Amino acid sequence: MGKVEVKKQKKKDALFNTAFELFTTKGTNQTTISDIVNKAGVAKGTFYLYFKDKYDIIILSITEEAQE
């Protein structure tokens, strides 16, 4: 994996982990995309490079948790 791909994966992981943390502490309804990107330290547009919307990342979170 090249440097660019590693950076992209780190951003996606940061968004996912931050979203999961916020969903479990604040709840999914009270968590906004702005909350996620601000805490993850990335631009809002970056979120949309990896996820369609908030519900996309919620579904991924549920899927990941179910697999563990």
Side-chain angles (χ1 to χ4, degrees):
M1 190 180 281
K3 289 181 183 180
V4 172
E5 289 83 15
V6 170
K7 286 178 92 173
K8 285 182 179 181
Q9 188 61 47
K10 284 183 180 182
K11 286 181 184 178
K12 185 175 182 180
D13 290 346
L15 286 165
F16 177 78
N17 293 331
T18 300
F20 186 79
E21 178 186 338
L22 290 170
F23 293 155
T24 56
T25 57
K26 290 179 68 173
T28 55
N29 290 335
Q30 287 72 37
T31 301
T32 64
I33 292 172
S34 293
D35 293 334
I36 297 167
V37 297
N38 289 337
K39 187 160 182 154
V42 299
K44 198 173 209 176
T46 302
F47 179 91
Y48 292 105
L49 290 174
Y50 303 107
F51 306 102
K52 185 173 112 177
D53 54 25
K54 182 172 88 168
Y55 301 101
D56 190 27
I57 200 167
I58 291 170
I59 291 168
L60 182 60
S61 297
I62 293 168
T63 304
E64 289 287 322
E65 188 63 27
Q67 288 179 352
E68 290 180 11

